[in-house]
Amino acid sequence: MINQNVYRYGATRSRIRDLFEYGLRQAAIVGRENVFDFSLGNPSIPAPEKVKQTIRKLLEGDPLAIHGYTPAAGAMEARQAIARDLCRRTGKTIRPENIFFTCGAAPALTSCLLALAVEDSELLILAPYFPEYKAYAHNAHMKVVEVPADTEAFQIRIEEVEKRITPHTQAIIINSPNNPSGVIYSVETLTALAELLRRKSKEYGHPIYIIADEPYRELTYDGAKTPYIPGIYDDTLVCYSWSKSLSMPGERIGYVLVPDSCADSEILFAAIAGAARTLGHVCAPSLLQRVVAECVELRPDLRAYDENRMTLYNALTEMGYSCVKPTGAFYMLVRSPSGDAEEFCARAMEKNVLIVPTDSFGCPGFCRVSTCVSPDMIRRSLPKFREVAQSYGLCE
Amino acid sequence: MINQNVYRYGATRSRIRDLFEYGLRQAAIVGRENVFDFSLGNPSIPAPEKVKQTIRKLLEGDPLAIHGYTPAAGAMEARQAIARDLCRRTGKTIRPENIFFTCGAAPALTSCLLALAVEDSELLILAPYFPEYKAYAHNAHMKVVEVPADTEAFQIRIEEVEKRITPHTQAIIINSPNNPSGVIYSVETLTALAELLRRKSKEYGHPIYIIADEPYRELTYDGAKTPYIPGIYDDTLVCYSWSKSLSMPGERIGYVLVPDSCADSEILFAAIAGAARTLGHVCAPSLLQRVVAECVELRPDLRAYDENRMTLYNALTEMGYSCVKPTGAFYMLVRSPSGDAEEFCARAMEKNVLIVPTDSFGCPGFCRVSTCVSPDMIRRSLPKFREVAQSYGLCE
């Protein structure tokens, strides 16, 4: 007998993957240069040269040490390097003992959720949200409660959060800079959320945790900065990944930060470690732990993403599309001219332009356009975007 | 509120880790050369030179391709390479579509268990077993049923398995070559088990799966071979890892093989993929997928393990200890002269010899001695083993 619940997660394919694979098939028919795939969130900037140099250097060391098991939480020197860097960035005290290395942000999230999964627990997610959160909550047997999107500023509708907090609310996931909106939640927004959560935690007699999902933390533009949420709200867990900042999403290296400010932080850390263990975590890839420790001060060269962002934003706005201006990540939301995202996606697909309806992100009526693509593809795609705009009568 | 069940898995530390860390502390006091740590299963043979060369070569390729996301099941070229190699080894037809890459054997196991977790399902494990199976079953909410060890030949007590099969039995984990016994289950043993499972599957109207946990597959001695279990029993899933065969346990790279012979193999494959997704699997480390694909024909040079095995077996036997002669893996079981493994462990610890009582492996009365250590440490440890033997009156 087979577990039908997880079978569905394996059989119902992701919309994004489907679009991507459609693009590959179309490329075989009409030529690769005539398919404009804006569906994926795969970095288009290569990993910094220093990553390669660091791997080459580490390979000259003792292979038993480089490729051997590390403690479950990670090699102490690597945890020290990450903690030191976080202290510098945030001005807060962060110890190596607060860092638990994981195989990327996804298992960081599943471990945090499982650590907070008690009977009847509820998890708040804010639209637009990363659809995989639902799969992760499934394993923890948490009930997912969606908070509708603020479709103007794409901040957080605090009053809508409040309506959905119950005595069973254990955590709320905050993804900022946001996938798919590219928006960074402001300090004002987060402060208001923190006030609400403090009040509700007190009312219900247990902490409501923020789980900050921050793979895009360093991907910000126009001088914007991603606020350090544990500095605003004590009971915050931070899930991080180097997938985007070092352009190595396939390498599966990230961490959970359990700050000392969290209630019962040591017990919580142990629960996350225990959760990870039951999920099959042994350690994060050992070579990569050393690589990120040595590359922790690198900042991505975001010029290409920034140029893509502005090229697409300006061109599409000029064509008459209504776009959400991103200040982070590498996505942009475009409102469907008909109000129907699937219809917009289908019409773009006819021109071999692949964009993702964000209905499954809890945000119907919009499509996500990835800006982590080649500038040349953007340039060549613009006449197609214009044809679609014309078909809606947005421009001549 | 914190999940107390997973907290316990994080807080109750592994006996092996504890011994290892005790060893580090003792080394600081009495000197590293005076501590004889036989506790860990960390390969002592370095990764083959070709692993390093392959990584160096791959680093010269396109970083976006090397470090980018692969499909969840793995890069198709890598799956093809593994499938081709498995066809050659087994003489069976194995397609790339049968291979699902994972971050090592542990998440391969958790994904298989979750895929087979239906209401009230039961999992059989055979003593001596790897204690982490219980943690993995915990996440799948499977009831673990232990089958007592055959403490003579360390094969499988088929009649004891039969007694424990119920209509709820979904799977049985087979770990061969076995950790901690070092024994390979024979074709005769596996054939008898297969006959039993076929009969019981028919009786209860659903397949009872074998989950073959095979990280030690290639670590065999005296010309022994690890039988290919799907060739003996159709409903077998194989969980593999390169941790031991390529000496890179920290790198977290392995796979699940779902052979076509399995009932509903495509649905089962999708269920494993779905289970992995809910556990936080995105893909296996991308660089390492390519490395193992290029190194798939490498076989470990086992001479060092083999020499250690024979040195320890012969010396300890000569001292009067009763040892289980291993033909695989890199462990040996030694019977406690007093019958009490904890007492034996403690007495050895007084001499700074660290060995692991296998009570937690479901096999009381024995200690596990790792043979993946330096020959020099073995040589220097023998007088200490002798002192312990003398204290029991085993020898002069």
Side-chain angles (χ1 to χ4, degrees):
Chain A
M1 289 176 289
I2 289 169
N3 179 338
Q4 294 300 315
N5 293 317
V6 296
Y7 167 68
R8 274 192 291 276
Y9 281 104
T12 30
R13 296 171 42 75
S14 124
R15 187 65 202 279
I16 298 171
R17 286 273 174 192
D18 278 348
L19 277 167
F20 170 67
E21 290 179 11
Y22 172 86
L24 293 181
R25 288 194 304 273
Q26 275 299 95
I29 301 167
V30 300
R32 206 175 151 181
E33 68 286 3
N34 295 314
V35 175
F36 310 99
D37 186 349
F38 294 92
S39 67
L40 284 191
N42 226 338
S44 58
I45 295 174
E49 180 66 19
K50 188 178 171 185
V51 167
K52 176 173 155 183
Q53 287 163 1
T54 306
I55 297 175
R56 290 179 68 101
K57 190 189 79 178
L58 289 166
L59 286 177
E60 298 309 312
D62 174 9
L64 289 176
I66 299 164
H67 301 303
Y69 288 119
T70 72
M76 187 41 87
E77 322 80 76
R79 296 165 76 196
Q80 283 165 341
I82 308 311
R84 268 196 307 273
D85 177 67
L86 284 173
C87 290
R88 269 196 299 268
R89 286 166 185 253
T90 64
K92 309 282 175 186
T93 302
I94 292 157
R95 300 173 300 118
E97 291 76 11
N98 301 124
I99 307 287
F100 189 92
F101 265 101
T102 58
C103 298
L109 287 163
T110 52
S111 302
C112 289
L113 293 182
L114 188 53
L116 296 176
V118 295
E119 214 179 335
D120 298 323
S121 50
E122 294 173 7
L123 173 70
L124 292 174
I125 62 175
L126 303 167
Y129 49 75
F130 183 48
E132 290 300 286
Y133 294 155
K134 292 185 180 176
Y136 304 158
H138 174 84
N139 184 64
H141 300 270
M142 279 181 146
K143 181 181 161 196
V144 172
V145 178
E146 298 182 30
V147 179
D150 160 11
T151 53
E152 293 305 322
F154 282 86
Q155 292 292 317
I156 300 173
R157 296 171 69 180
I158 304 292
E159 74 291 356
E160 296 294 335
V161 176
E162 178 158 11
K163 277 187 213 163
R164 287 164 179 79
I165 295 178
T166 78
H168 298 296
T169 306
Q170 276 280 78
I172 178 168
I173 301 183
I174 302 283
N175 175 222
S176 173
N178 183 265
N179 170 12
S181 77
V183 167
I184 301 169
Y185 295 131
S186 67
V187 170
E188 293 67 35
T189 296
L190 294 167
T191 303
L193 179 70
E195 277 168 19
L196 169 64
L197 295 179
R198 272 192 290 268
R199 181 157 52 80
K200 287 291 183 180
S201 295
K202 202 170 164 190
E203 184 179 336
Y204 295 130
H206 63 85
I208 299 171
Y209 292 89
I210 288 180
I211 300 174
D213 176 26
E214 298 194 343
Y216 301 100
R217 187 175 66 199
E218 290 85 11
L219 276 63
T220 62
Y221 312 102
D222 299 337
K225 282 211 166 171
T226 307
Y228 177 66
I229 304 182
I232 299 171
Y233 184 68
D234 286 348
D235 290 311
T236 299
L237 299 168
V238 181
C239 296
Y240 182 73
S241 155
W242 282 271
S243 290
K244 320 295 180 181
S245 59
L246 292 185
S247 290
M248 42 187 204
E251 301 298 1
R252 315 313 307 142
I253 183 87
Y255 64 76
V256 183
L257 164 66
V258 186
D260 288 330
S261 62
C262 276
D264 301 317
S265 64
E266 285 184 26
I267 293 173
L268 186 52
F269 190 94
I272 291 166
R277 184 176 165 193
T278 68
L279 299 177
H281 170 89
V282 174
C283 62
S286 49
L287 174 64
L288 266 293
Q289 288 185 40
R290 276 79 179 199
V291 171
V292 297
E294 296 216 13
C295 294
V296 74
E297 289 179 48
L298 285 186
R299 292 296 169 270
D301 177 359
L302 300 174
R303 280 172 298 182
Y305 293 149
D306 198 7
E307 281 170 31
N308 288 350
R309 173 183 77 111
M310 291 315 297
T311 305
L312 272 165
Y313 179 77
N314 290 333
L316 269 61
T317 305
E318 185 270 326
M319 291 173 198
Y321 290 106
S322 166
C323 304
V324 180
K325 190 173 182 180
T327 49
F330 42 42
Y331 309 103
M332 180 171 71
L333 286 181
V334 184
R335 197 183 285 268
S336 165
S338 69
D340 180 336
E342 284 292 343
E343 186 272 344
F344 179 32
C345 166
R347 208 180 278 207
M349 231 162 137
E350 283 173 22
K351 309 284 179 196
N352 291 315
V353 173
L354 308 182
I355 55 180
V356 180
T358 56
D359 300 61
S360 65
F361 294 70
C363 191
F366 291 83
C367 281
R368 186 187 82 170
V369 178
S370 288
T371 58
C372 49
V373 295
S374 84
D376 180 56
M377 188 186 89
I378 293 178
R379 194 182 47 71
R380 289 181 294 103
S381 74
L382 293 180
K384 303 293 173 184
F385 273 112
R386 182 170 294 278
E387 287 173 31
V388 176
Q390 285 163 342
S391 78
Y392 283 115
L394 296 180
C395 60
E396 301 267 299
Chain B
M1 286 176 292
I2 289 168
N3 180 336
Q4 293 301 316
N5 293 317
V6 295
Y7 167 70
R8 274 192 292 275
Y9 280 104
T12 28
R13 296 172 42 77
S14 123
R15 186 66 204 276
I16 298 171
R17 287 270 174 195
D18 279 347
L19 277 168
F20 169 65
E21 291 180 10
Y22 171 84
L24 294 181
R25 287 195 304 273
Q26 276 299 95
I29 300 167
V30 301
R32 209 175 149 180
E33 69 286 4
N34 295 314
V35 175
F36 310 98
D37 186 349
F38 293 92
S39 68
L40 283 190
N42 226 339
S44 57
I45 295 175
E49 180 67 18
K50 190 178 171 185
V51 166
K52 177 173 156 182
Q53 287 163 3
T54 306
I55 297 175
R56 291 178 68 99
K57 189 189 82 177
L58 289 166
L59 286 176
E60 298 309 312
D62 174 9
L64 290 176
I66 301 163
H67 301 304
Y69 288 119
T70 72
M76 187 41 89
E77 319 81 74
R79 294 165 77 196
Q80 283 164 342
I82 307 311
R84 267 196 309 273
D85 177 66
L86 284 173
C87 291
R88 267 195 301 266
R89 287 166 184 252
T90 64
K92 308 284 175 186
T93 302
I94 292 158
R95 300 173 301 116
E97 291 77 9
N98 301 123
I99 307 287
F100 188 93
F101 265 102
T102 57
C103 297
L109 287 163
T110 52
S111 301
C112 288
L113 293 182
L114 189 54
L116 296 176
V118 296
E119 214 178 333
D120 297 323
S121 49
E122 294 172 7
L123 173 70
L124 291 175
I125 63 176
L126 302 169
Y129 49 75
F130 183 48
E132 290 300 285
Y133 294 155
K134 292 186 180 176
Y136 305 159
H138 174 85
N139 184 65
H141 300 271
M142 279 179 145
K143 181 182 161 193
V144 172
V145 178
E146 298 182 30
V147 179
D150 161 11
T151 51
E152 293 304 322
F154 283 87
Q155 293 291 316
I156 300 174
R157 296 171 69 179
I158 304 292
E159 74 292 354
E160 296 294 334
V161 176
E162 177 159 12
K163 278 187 214 163
R164 286 164 180 80
I165 294 179
T166 78
H168 298 296
T169 306
Q170 276 280 80
I172 179 168
I173 301 183
I174 302 282
N175 176 220
S176 173
N178 184 264
N179 171 12
S181 77
V183 167
I184 301 171
Y185 295 131
S186 69
V187 170
E188 293 66 36
T189 297
L190 294 167
T191 302
L193 179 70
E195 277 168 18
L196 170 65
L197 296 180
R198 271 192 291 269
R199 182 157 52 80
K200 287 291 181 178
S201 295
K202 202 171 165 191
E203 182 180 338
Y204 295 131
H206 63 85
I208 299 171
Y209 293 89
I210 288 179
I211 300 173
D213 175 24
E214 298 193 343
Y216 300 100
R217 188 174 63 199
E218 290 85 10
L219 276 63
T220 62
Y221 312 102
D222 298 336
K225 281 209 166 174
T226 307
Y228 177 66
I229 304 182
I232 299 171
Y233 185 68
D234 286 349
D235 290 311
T236 298
L237 299 169
V238 181
C239 296
Y240 182 73
S241 155
W242 282 272
S243 290
K244 319 296 180 182
S245 60
L246 292 184
S247 290
M248 43 185 203
E251 301 298 3
R252 315 315 306 144
I253 183 88
Y255 64 75
V256 183
L257 164 66
V258 186
D260 289 331
S261 62
C262 275
D264 302 318
S265 64
E266 286 185 27
I267 292 173
L268 186 53
F269 189 95
I272 290 166
R277 185 177 165 193
T278 69
L279 299 178
H281 170 89
V282 174
C283 62
S286 48
L287 173 64
L288 266 293
Q289 287 185 41
R290 274 81 179 198
V291 171
V292 296
E294 297 216 13
C295 294
V296 75
E297 289 179 48
L298 285 186
R299 292 294 170 271
D301 176 359
L302 300 175
R303 280 172 297 181
Y305 294 148
D306 198 6
E307 281 171 29
N308 288 348
R309 173 183 76 110
M310 291 316 297
T311 306
L312 273 165
Y313 179 77
N314 290 335
L316 268 61
T317 305
E318 185 270 325
M319 290 174 201
Y321 289 107
S322 165
C323 303
V324 180
K325 189 173 183 180
T327 49
F330 42 43
Y331 308 103
M332 181 171 71
L333 286 181
V334 183
R335 196 182 286 266
S336 165
S338 68
D340 180 336
E342 284 292 342
E343 187 273 342
F344 180 32
C345 167
R347 209 180 280 207
M349 231 161 137
E350 283 172 22
K351 310 282 177 199
N352 290 315
V353 173
L354 308 181
I355 56 180
V356 180
T358 56
D359 300 63
S360 66
F361 294 70
C363 191
F366 290 82
C367 281
R368 186 186 83 171
V369 177
S370 289
T371 57
C372 48
V373 295
S374 84
D376 180 55
M377 189 186 88
I378 293 178
R379 194 181 46 72
R380 290 182 294 104
S381 74
L382 294 181
K384 302 293 173 186
F385 273 112
R386 182 171 294 275
E387 288 173 31
V388 176
Q390 285 164 340
S391 77
Y392 284 114
L394 296 181
C395 60
E396 302 266 302

